[in-house]
Amino acid sequence: MSQEPIVLDPSGTDIQGESARIRARGPVALVELPGGVPAWSVTDQAVLKDLLAGPRVSKDPRQHWSAFINGEITEAWPLLPWVAVDNMFTAYGGDHRRLRKLVSPAFTHRRTTVMQDRVNEIVTELLDELAVLPAGEVVDLRARYCYPVPIRVISELMGVPPHLGPDMHRCVDGFFDGSFTAEQAQANYVEMYGLVGQLVAYRRDNPGDDVTSVLIATRDDDGSALTEKELVDTLMLVINAGHETTVNLLDQAITALLTHPGQLAEVTGEQVPWSDVIEESLRYQAPVAHLPLRYAVEDIEIGDQIITKGEAILASYAGASRDPQLHGDTTDEFDIHRKTKEQHVAFGYGAHHCLGAPLARMEATTALPALFGRFPGLRFAVDPSELTPIGSFISNGHIALPVYLNAE
């Protein structure tokens, strides 16, 4: 590693500006993660897709990350919960194929389709609650709508009982909090792990038509099942990813439309489909900006750089989804008419492409038109420049979306 690394801002104050600075260094660039850990950030979409689709990179630190194997990564590292789990997220090769085969039945097209009616009900309930608020009241739309839609959907999909919901939701929030110290991150992980263990125990005693019950009962061709640790870690992955990504998708789509009233008028006037808004929102502001981590299984030469076997690789989805080689000089503009808008990597790529992507798209396709249909005068209560990033270099959203629901 001969480059001087770009030190990532753990609070994600300027994710797109930082991504542009990384991209200016070439297809891959050396960055420094929290805790002084080096990694290669990949912002060239073609290069990233090539790496994600092939066997040259792994997500298993126990096999392929030299710093982890050598004991340099300890419990003092705040991002340890992102790499130390034992599920599809960190599996490689045959282990990944086995786990994905066991988990996939829980995310069938049928199950997503069945959830449509329930998503409609959740969206309607939340909009009804907003509609009775006093006229002129400032409403935090992230807290009152963007957040509860996906957290209620994923909780019901996973079969989370009411007595576990509040604490689990708080732990999910902490998982993405870039301000956490190593001690806070570890404590949050331990608490979340315990809560998911309670979920598994509850569903063993009270099985239902939910993802947790399906995963408990699923067996491979040889009769094998997920181990207890694989089961809990997989549920942690699904609950975390299934919530945060969709919250940020709704947050960023609403923000983009309110700051581009001409395009909002086109979509609400049914001149442009909502699917175009969703894909351009995913491209323009990837809900997950950087996803830790992958590791070089062999020496990889990219341009004039060599990622040495055993070094860490950061999939920089926000930067790669705005690759100017794909989207030209207007890549930093929000444009629902963009011909290349579907060329993004917001849900990953290759073997680790997000199983929940169809569910996230379905939720957004339901929640966004319902919101703007119910409140056509929706507008920001502050200047959009005052919106504050969520405080994470991983999660790409805002702390709050203060709005007025109706026009003056």
Side-chain angles (χ1 to χ4, degrees):
M1 294 184 177
S2 58
Q3 283 189 5
E4 184 69 24
I6 294 174
V7 179
L8 292 186
D9 176 4
S11 65
T13 303
D14 181 19
I15 281 174
Q16 296 298 346
E18 191 170 66
S19 294
R21 290 190 291 276
I22 295 170
R23 188 188 303 112
R25 294 232 179 145
V28 300
L30 191 61
V31 298
E32 183 179 299
L33 304 175
V37 174
W40 290 98
S41 168
V42 186
T43 55
D44 182 298
Q45 190 172 136
V47 171
L48 182 58
K49 283 185 171 183
D50 180 62
L51 292 176
L52 299 185
R56 294 188 297 167
V57 299
S58 165
K59 296 196 77 174
D60 187 346
R62 297 169 182 85
Q63 289 190 68
H64 300 116
W65 190 14
S66 297
F68 192 92
I69 295 167
N70 296 338
E72 298 168 35
I73 305 301
T74 69
E75 290 189 357
W77 192 44
L79 297 182
L80 186 67
W82 284 91
V83 305
V85 290
D86 189 10
N87 57 28
M88 291 187 305
F89 188 74
T90 58
Y92 175 73
D95 286 339
H96 178 261
R97 287 189 290 273
R98 179 184 68 85
L99 289 170
R100 193 161 179 114
K101 182 180 178 182
L102 285 167
V103 172
S104 292
F107 293 91
T108 60
H109 175 71
R110 182 198 68 81
R111 188 171 294 277
T112 298
T113 302
V114 167
M115 283 297 295
Q116 178 68 74
D117 288 344
R118 186 61 189 128
V119 173
N120 291 341
E121 292 172 359
I122 290 170
V123 163
T124 300
E125 290 170 14
L126 291 168
L127 292 176
D128 288 345
E129 292 173 9
L130 293 175
V132 299
L133 294 176
E137 179 175 324
V138 176
V139 177
D140 178 1
L141 209 54
R142 182 177 173 98
R144 299 294 296 267
Y145 193 67
C146 301
Y147 182 92
V149 169
I151 200 67
R152 287 177 61 177
V153 170
I154 199 66
S155 294
E156 293 189 18
L157 188 69
M158 305 304 293
V160 177
H163 70 277
L164 293 178
D167 286 340
M168 194 171 289
H169 301 166
R170 176 174 48 77
C171 286
V172 170
D173 293 342
F175 205 74
F176 290 87
D177 193 328
S179 69
F180 270 20
T181 64
E183 292 77 12
Q184 288 173 314
Q186 183 66 16
N188 188 73
Y189 173 80
V190 170
E191 183 179 2
M192 178 87 177
Y193 200 91
L195 290 167
V196 176
Q198 292 179 52
L199 167 61
V200 171
Y202 179 85
R203 282 302 165 199
R204 279 207 172 97
D205 293 337
N206 305 275
D209 184 21
D210 56 79
V211 169
T212 301
S213 298
V214 170
L215 292 179
I216 290 170
T218 298
R219 296 293 183 272
D220 209 340
D221 296 338
D222 61 1
S224 65
L226 293 166
T227 67
E228 192 71 10
K229 187 173 190 304
E230 289 171 343
L231 176 60
V232 173
D233 281 358
T234 295
L235 290 170
M236 287 184 65
L237 166 65
V238 173
I239 293 168
N240 280 310
H243 151 250
E244 189 74 7
T245 300
T246 310
V247 175
N248 289 340
L249 169 56
L250 296 176
D251 172 335
Q252 295 289 7
I254 291 167
T255 301
L257 289 173
L258 290 182
T259 52
H260 295 81
Q263 295 183 57
L264 173 59
E266 287 184 272
V267 69
T268 55
E270 299 185 350
Q271 298 165 260
V272 178
W274 281 96
S275 58
D276 285 1
V277 173
I278 291 164
E279 295 309 314
E280 177 64 355
S281 297
L282 288 165
R283 184 207 70 84
Y284 181 65
Q285 291 286 6
V288 174
H290 304 278
L291 189 64
L293 275 174
R294 285 171 168 82
Y295 320 99
V297 175
E298 60 188 51
D299 289 353
I300 303 171
E301 185 174 353
I302 299 172
D304 59 357
Q305 296 293 341
I306 295 179
I307 302 177
T308 303
K309 177 181 177 180
E311 290 183 336
I313 298 170
L314 187 67
S316 296
Y317 294 145
S321 292
R322 286 200 187 188
D323 189 340
Q325 296 179 90
L326 292 173
H327 309 297
D329 294 339
T330 65
T331 192
D332 291 325
E333 299 174 12
F334 179 78
D335 181 7
I336 56 178
H337 300 287
R338 187 182 301 278
K339 301 297 184 185
T340 56
K341 57 184 167 290
E342 294 183 358
Q343 295 185 43
H344 61 73
V345 285
F347 290 116
Y349 189 77
H352 286 271
H353 183 268
C354 178
L355 281 171
L359 178 63
R361 286 186 167 102
M362 183 266 277
E363 291 179 63
T365 304
T366 304
L368 290 171
L371 173 69
F372 286 98
R374 181 72 73 94
F375 302 110
L378 186 70
R379 58 195 172 90
F380 274 125
V382 298
D383 189 288
S385 65
E386 297 176 27
L387 297 178
T388 305
I390 201 169
S392 170
F393 78 100
I394 298 171
S395 182
N396 184 18
H398 302 97
I399 289 177
L401 288 183
V403 302
Y404 294 115
L405 295 174
N406 300 294
E408 293 179 329

